[in-house]
Amino acid sequence: MNLKQLHHYRLPRPGCLLTLSRLSSLFTVSRLRCLLAISRSGSRITVSRLQFLFNISRLRYLLLLSLLSLRFSFSLIAQTIPLPATSSLKGTPFNNITLEASLKPFKKKDKEYIRLVAKEMFTQWSSLLRHADTVSIMLWTGDGSEILDYRGELTQPLSWAKFMGNPNTDHAVGSGPKELSLHERAYLYIPDPPAFTYEDLKFIIATLKATGRSLTGKPIRVGATFDPGPEFAISDFKYKRHTEILGGSSMGHKTFVSCYSTLNADSTAYAGFPKGIPANTPFGAFFGRQSQHFLTDLGYDYIWFSNGFGFGVEGWSSTGAVFNGKGFEKEKMADTRAKISDFWQLFRKECPAFRIETRGTNISAGADLARDGVDLKMIYNGGYNILPPPNSPWAALDGDFGLELTGYMSRMAELPDERYIFRYYTHDPWWVNSPWLDRYGSEPHDIYLPMSVARINKAGETKLPTHLNLLTIDNSYGDMPSEVPDEVTPHILKARYDAPTAPGPLVWVYPFDEYHDWAYTQQDRLPEIYYGDWLIRQAINNGFPLNTVVSTASFQSAYSNKPEMFNGSILVSIDPAAGSPLEKLLISYVEKGGRLLVYGPADHAGQAFQDFLNLSNKTPLEGEFTVDGDLSTDQLTEKYPLRLRHLALFSGGGIATTLLNAKDPNTKIMATVSQGSDHRDIAWSRALPAWHGGKVAYLRGTNSSTFMGGKLLTPDDPEKWFTGPLLLRYALKAFDFNYGIDKAGPAVKNPVLTISRSNNAFIFSGYSPNTTVLQKFRLPQGAPVFTGFETRLKNGFSTYSMPTAWHKECRIFVEQAEGILSCKEEYSGQREISRRLQLAGLQKATVRIYPGEAATPESLQVFLNSSYPWKTGRITFKEEENKTFGKCYVVENVTGTLGIAW
């Protein structure tokens, strides 16, 4: 900030109170607590202390004053911190935006060239960086071996990621037959890449900080990276001198560093071990001490643990230290947890202060726990100053959004604090692909889907990602094509503008604490823990529109504080522990009018919950079944097969569930399976008159996938076997929530969908792997009519043929059997009107309107068959008495065109 810009800020007035509300609008709660603690102790708050506690960007004018030696210091009750007088920015800002980059753009060592490259990095993304308090650059210098090999000498040559492909193979870089793939042989990215030293790297880091501060006026952090695998750079340390640290097999047998390995003796002098490495040195201790020296000497601010490092040994696989694809070696659980815990403690003992940001695995919290002993709860509660793992970019590359979203939600159900990351894959600087341009085809589905996800905390607040990472801003050739930031930025900002402000129609009550307890106290439930997340993964991949997660602990707290906040949602939960407070709460929730969808085996369900569900368990069955029931939600030219394969190992045990009382008039069967003369009930709903409209549905659930030796579980052939997780979406019909699909046959992939709530609107975000599919909707309020779209009504359903990626607002629902409707954005034309929509094609319809939260019955205007200047045709409406789905206004028996304004 310069002196000319200073006039945009109001100087604080002595005597003004710095109130809690003002502080909470300026700072995050965790920092606020720190400030309040200082205030209670009577300490005075100086500029330097504020710099440490808060985002410096919001104190720039204070820094300016301090630089001018004005000796500015104040206490909490002495003066107030001003905000900018005006701001044109929209949406919730990010605490931090990270631009990830390799060293490839620095194609010359010339210092002026380095400065120009740094300037271009920040300039390209400037319109997005305005929406952050802090900006970070995460440098993919090498594969992390530059940390392991660091000798403490800045003149030491730097082994860096100057390659395309894997440089740690049997074939030398640039050698071998031309037909070898990049995974078999690497190339230099340019003919004569720079020969960097650690001193050059230090200059690059300093230049990035100085340039970033100059261009953005924000604090700039620079992070280092450590990857456990063979990608990116040549590593003699991993693959020649210390192969004993290799354990994982994600890119071949023993190719990934195990975080809990131990090192053999080594006489080489390292920065942290000038006399060499003693035999049996834990890798965590060695890596921690090396990191402390490296990060300090080079000027870094934090470190990133990549590709599952610190979270077990198999970050990419559906198997691991505990699950081998054939069974669970439960006796390894406690030992594996101890080893992982030892790594974190050893690392933090040697490197105590630098923040750790983490990539995590490609899987999910429950599956990671059961397969590889990854105790996320232990890591989160360890006080290690970490940011939790973001969404996995890897799953989305294969269109496996179910795995991406399941992993993301399961890991954010609980957090070390309120911070978490959304990460987006723009370029790959190693493997000659740029996902935005090629894998995604410049379609923003992997922006809108994960950015529609939100978590609910214990206070009942809807929390968004606080950090945004862009992997990476340079491609494999070291170029930074400007079209990528130009095209990606508007979608990220739009997704942020439309971010959830309330729980979505479906809320996953995730058993974070239960899974981490049962894994050690009820180890016979390891298959159930493993199965649960895989079922949700496959359900999402088949259209189950899940976007909100809350842990079981947070749900109980949030519900006690704000019981009405879940009125518009269907809770999705496993059966709770017998006799637990959660069991009592879920039963009470439904009895008071709530909606609950229970999934998974009920072998451990308490008697009270079994009676509540009208459920009884018989002898479990597995193998091949015939499925029967109401399977008409989707319409296929070639029908789904009716054979279901249920494997106990992958589905939390066999199928044991039946109705306790088959004659109960309040219970409605949705699906059954048979195996010879044996029958089991697998899906039903129940609603008692005394439940005030409440309803519970139960789905036993089959994980229709198995381990075939690859990295992930392989889904059953949909042309041969019925896809069991489809029934989760089908079960929503019990709640008058209808989402169906018309397509040619079972092999045509189903769309992926999320429905979120933002400013009283319903936001639909989708990915259509096959655009010939027709999507049909009818919710309890009627057929949703998307803003800016036409829809043909069929039997009361709105129908849409959607593109590959789509993101649409819905504020209008219509009850009408047939016809063509359109909902168009119109210009305001009136001073007091901020929004105007036109709804055409109505025929004796009932219309439900969901205006913005700020709208009132007095400010809402509805016109029939009218136009500008809107002097005639104004009609009355009524406020919906049922507030289940938020603020809603109703117009009944209307024909023609409605103008709706607020």
Side-chain angles (χ1 to χ4, degrees):
M1 174 174 291
N2 54 42
L3 287 171
K4 186 176 180 180
Q5 293 170 311
L6 188 59
H7 75 277
H8 290 294
Y9 289 77
R10 301 189 303 274
L11 289 175
R13 294 178 287 110
C16 288
L17 286 176
L18 188 56
T19 64
L20 180 66
S21 61
R22 181 168 298 215
L23 278 169
S24 61
S25 70
L26 286 170
F27 309 118
T28 62
V29 175
S30 59
R31 291 167 177 170
L32 175 58
R33 288 181 185 142
C34 186
L35 182 56
L36 291 177
I38 294 174
S39 71
R40 292 188 185 111
S41 68
S43 300
R44 294 176 66 81
I45 310 300
T46 63
V47 170
S48 60
R49 184 166 294 182
L50 283 166
Q51 283 180 257
F52 172 74
L53 290 173
F54 304 124
N55 293 318
I56 304 173
S57 60
R58 295 183 174 177
L59 299 170
R60 283 179 286 167
Y61 82 102
L62 291 179
L63 296 179
L64 179 63
L65 294 176
S66 67
L67 290 172
L68 294 173
S69 302
L70 296 182
R71 299 181 183 178
F72 193 84
S73 178
F74 61 99
S75 68
L76 268 177
I77 60 172
Q79 304 197 17
T80 184
I81 299 174
L83 287 169
T86 59
S87 174
S88 60
L89 297 184
K90 181 181 178 181
T92 303
F94 292 96
N95 288 7
N96 176 83
I97 293 177
T98 296
L99 306 179
E100 302 184 31
S102 75
L103 295 186
K104 286 184 175 180
F106 302 102
K107 298 178 181 180
K108 295 188 290 185
K109 289 178 63 172
D110 174 76
K111 291 186 176 181
E112 185 56 31
Y113 182 84
I114 290 172
R115 292 188 184 99
L116 290 174
V117 170
K119 181 179 179 181
E120 180 65 11
M121 286 180 172
F122 291 100
T123 300
Q124 284 192 349
W125 294 93
S126 59
S127 59
L128 181 60
L129 299 182
R130 297 180 66 206
H131 295 262
D133 300 330
T134 301
V135 178
S136 300
I137 300 289
M138 196 163 85
L139 284 179
W140 289 96
T141 301
D143 70 338
S145 292
E146 68 274 15
I147 303 173
L148 306 180
D149 270 325
Y150 181 50
R151 314 292 168 82
E153 301 172 358
L154 294 180
T155 56
Q156 178 184 341
L158 181 70
S159 178
W160 65 283
K162 55 188 175 184
F163 309 102
M164 296 176 178
N166 183 356
N168 294 291
T169 69
D170 294 334
H171 299 279
V173 173
S175 71
K178 186 176 181 180
E179 60 267 20
L180 290 175
S181 73
L182 291 177
H183 284 79
E184 297 169 302
R185 179 264 329 279
Y187 293 94
L188 291 172
Y189 85 107
I190 56 176
D192 189 21
F196 288 126
T197 66
Y198 283 77
E199 189 171 30
D200 296 322
L201 178 58
K202 184 172 184 176
F203 176 78
I204 290 172
I205 292 168
T207 300
L208 289 169
K209 290 185 177 184
T211 304
R213 280 194 298 268
S214 173
L215 292 176
T216 69
K218 301 177 186 292
I220 306 297
R221 303 183 313 144
V222 177
T225 53
F226 179 82
D227 188 90
E231 306 174 87
F232 316 152
I234 292 174
S235 177
D236 287 345
F237 188 97
K238 295 178 187 176
Y239 302 107
K240 291 185 179 178
R241 301 202 305 273
H242 289 286
T243 56
E244 71 276 7
I245 65 175
L246 302 176
S249 302
S250 293
M251 293 186 70
H253 183 61
K254 290 195 173 183
T255 50
F256 269 45
V257 174
S258 170
C259 67
Y260 47 77
S261 60
T262 57
L263 288 152
N264 293 336
D266 182 347
S267 60
T268 306
Y270 297 93
F273 292 80
K275 296 182 180 180
I277 305 172
N280 299 317
T281 297
F283 183 79
F286 173 79
F287 179 50
R289 193 179 302 178
Q290 283 291 105
S291 295
Q292 181 66 31
H293 283 270
F294 176 81
L295 299 173
T296 302
D297 293 353
L298 276 294
Y300 283 105
D301 300 288
Y302 69 99
I303 187 169
W304 172 272
F305 289 177
S306 176
N307 279 332
F309 184 72
F311 297 85
V313 73
E314 287 286 1
W316 292 359
S317 179
S318 54
T319 58
V322 177
F323 181 62
N324 58 21
K326 299 179 180 180
F328 295 86
E329 300 177 77
K330 58 186 180 182
E331 67 278 1
K332 293 184 177 181
M333 283 295 301
D335 181 59
T336 303
R337 175 172 64 174
K339 289 178 178 178
I340 295 174
S341 175
D342 285 347
F343 161 77
W344 285 94
Q345 293 181 47
L346 289 166
F347 182 89
R348 268 305 180 211
K349 182 180 179 181
E350 299 291 344
C351 185
F354 286 100
R355 182 197 287 177
I356 302 170
E357 301 185 5
T358 62
R359 154 70 157 80
T361 75
N362 287 329
I363 317 298
S364 65
D368 282 343
L369 176 64
R371 70 175 182 86
D372 206 22
V374 182
D375 193 320
L376 203 59
K377 183 177 181 179
M378 173 198 70
I379 296 172
Y380 281 3
N381 294 341
Y384 300 126
N385 185 23
I386 69 167
L387 280 186
N391 54 309
S392 165
W394 181 77
L397 298 182
D398 296 327
D400 197 341
F401 291 98
L403 183 57
E404 179 187 15
L405 298 183
T406 298
Y408 197 27
M409 286 188 277
S410 68
R411 289 193 290 251
M412 72 165 75
E414 288 286 344
L415 293 172
D417 49 42
E418 292 290 350
R419 301 171 300 169
Y420 68 101
I421 304 171
F422 166 63
R423 194 180 190 209
Y424 184 66
Y425 213 161
T426 46
H427 292 292
D428 188 308
W430 312 288
W431 297 100
V432 196
N433 68 107
S434 292
W436 170 255
L437 298 173
D438 42 52
R439 292 181 183 267
Y440 297 143
S442 300
E443 296 281 359
H445 41 286
D446 199 30
I447 293 174
Y448 290 118
L449 285 171
M451 288 191 74
S452 72
V453 166
R455 66 182 296 267
I456 307 299
N457 66 9
K458 290 184 177 181
E461 300 167 320
T462 303
K463 305 299 288 187
L464 306 177
T466 54
H467 291 59
L468 168 66
N469 278 40
L470 295 165
L471 166 69
T472 57
I473 60 172
D474 60 312
N475 63 22
S476 299
Y477 300 91
D479 299 328
M480 298 183 292
S482 61
E483 64 185 296
V484 173
D486 290 348
E487 294 174 2
V488 167
T489 295
H491 292 296
I492 290 177
L493 292 179
K494 175 61 175 172
R496 194 67 166 182
Y497 301 160
D498 293 342
T501 57
L506 299 181
V507 175
W508 192 12
V509 184
Y510 190 74
F512 191 87
D513 287 341
E514 289 82 352
Y515 278 176
H516 285 87
D517 177 36
W518 298 340
Y520 306 101
T521 63
Q522 301 181 49
Q523 292 191 329
D524 62 316
R525 302 186 75 165
L526 281 176
E528 179 183 345
I529 297 170
Y530 184 77
Y531 142 87
D533 291 357
W534 286 109
L535 176 75
I536 297 297
R537 168 248 189 163
Q538 214 170 356
I540 292 174
N541 278 338
N542 284 279
F544 190 60
L546 185 64
N547 92 299
T548 307
V549 68
V550 60
S551 72
T552 52
S554 292
F555 168 69
Q556 294 174 76
S557 175
Y559 186 80
S560 66
N561 293 325
K562 301 177 180 179
E564 74 288 345
M565 73 175 298
F566 297 104
N567 286 354
S569 302
I570 302 167
L571 301 183
V572 181
S573 174
I574 65 168
D575 65 280
S580 65
L582 179 63
E583 179 190 71
K584 295 179 175 64
L585 178 57
L586 290 177
I587 293 174
S588 172
Y589 169 78
V590 173
E591 291 176 342
K592 292 178 181 179
R595 298 172 297 164
L596 173 65
L597 173 58
V598 180
Y599 67 92
D603 303 353
H604 295 82
Q607 191 59 53
F609 205 73
Q610 290 188 44
D611 293 344
F612 166 66
L613 293 176
N614 189 23
L615 178 149
S616 177
N617 284 309
K618 291 186 176 181
T619 303
L621 304 175
E622 70 168 319
E624 182 179 334
F625 296 85
T626 299
V627 62
D628 188 26
D630 182 4
L631 307 178
S632 62
T633 300
D634 297 340
Q635 297 296 313
L636 282 68
T637 304
E638 298 178 14
K639 304 299 183 183
Y640 285 124
L642 296 180
R643 291 196 305 160
L644 175 75
R645 181 168 65 171
H646 183 98
L647 301 179
L649 179 63
F650 299 98
S651 293
I655 301 176
T657 52
T658 62
L659 292 185
L660 176 65
N661 178 9
K663 296 182 179 180
D664 176 22
N666 303 305
T667 300
K668 181 180 179 181
I669 283 284
M670 293 186 284
T672 64
V673 293
S674 59
Q675 189 180 75
S677 61
D678 292 317
H679 299 268
R680 296 291 184 267
D681 302 317
I682 60 170
W684 65 85
S685 64
R686 190 167 189 245
L688 271 62
W691 287 357
H692 307 286
K695 182 177 282 190
V696 61
Y698 173 75
L699 174 73
R700 168 53 181 91
T702 293
N703 175 20
S704 296
S705 55
T706 187
F707 180 67
M708 303 292 288
K711 291 184 174 64
L712 300 179
L713 297 186
T714 302
D716 292 345
D717 183 350
E719 294 187 302
K720 182 178 181 181
W721 302 101
F722 182 78
T723 302
L726 273 172
L727 293 176
L728 269 170
R729 174 162 56 86
Y730 289 7
L732 297 178
K733 291 172 63 176
F735 305 101
D736 296 323
F737 189 110
N738 297 273
Y739 170 41
I741 293 161
D742 291 359
K743 62 180 185 176
V748 176
K749 288 187 176 181
N750 287 323
V752 178
L753 175 72
T754 62
I755 307 175
S756 57
R757 299 301 307 274
S758 180
N759 189 26
N760 204 43
F762 291 76
I763 305 295
F764 289 68
S765 301
Y767 164 60
S768 303
N770 189 309
T771 57
T772 66
V773 167
L774 184 72
Q775 303 183 51
K776 307 175 298 184
F777 302 91
R778 190 182 70 210
L779 276 57
Q781 313 96 297
V785 185
F786 301 154
T787 305
F789 263 65
E790 290 76 32
T791 181
R792 179 183 293 276
L793 296 176
K794 295 183 179 180
N795 298 318
F797 285 75
S798 54
T799 61
Y800 299 93
S801 294
M802 305 305 288
T804 300
W806 58 281
H807 174 81
K808 292 299 174 185
E809 172 200 65
C810 175
R811 292 191 178 274
I812 295 173
F813 292 82
V814 175
E815 289 187 66
Q816 179 177 310
E818 305 291 335
I820 296 177
L821 301 180
S822 72
C823 180
K824 299 296 184 181
E825 191 85 39
E826 294 289 316
Y827 70 96
S828 166
Q830 289 178 258
R831 187 184 62 169
E832 69 276 15
I833 294 301
S834 61
R835 190 83 190 272
R836 189 183 300 277
L837 301 176
Q838 183 186 78
L839 178 65
L842 299 169
Q843 301 172 22
K844 296 182 180 180
T846 296
V847 178
R848 288 182 173 84
I849 303 163
Y850 290 83
E853 291 285 4
T856 65
E858 294 72 31
S859 64
L860 181 66
Q861 301 177 10
V862 180
F863 298 86
L864 179 61
N865 300 325
S866 184
S867 60
Y868 182 83
W870 311 102
K871 292 182 179 181
T872 61
R874 188 163 179 174
I875 62 173
T876 60
F877 52 84
K878 66 179 182 180
E879 192 168 359
E880 181 82 88
E881 293 181 5
N882 185 351
K883 300 294 194 299
T884 296
F885 303 107
K887 183 185 298 184
C888 177
Y889 302 92
V890 183
V891 181
E892 296 177 323
N893 194 28
V894 61
T895 297
T897 299
L898 282 185
I900 302 164
W902 63 90

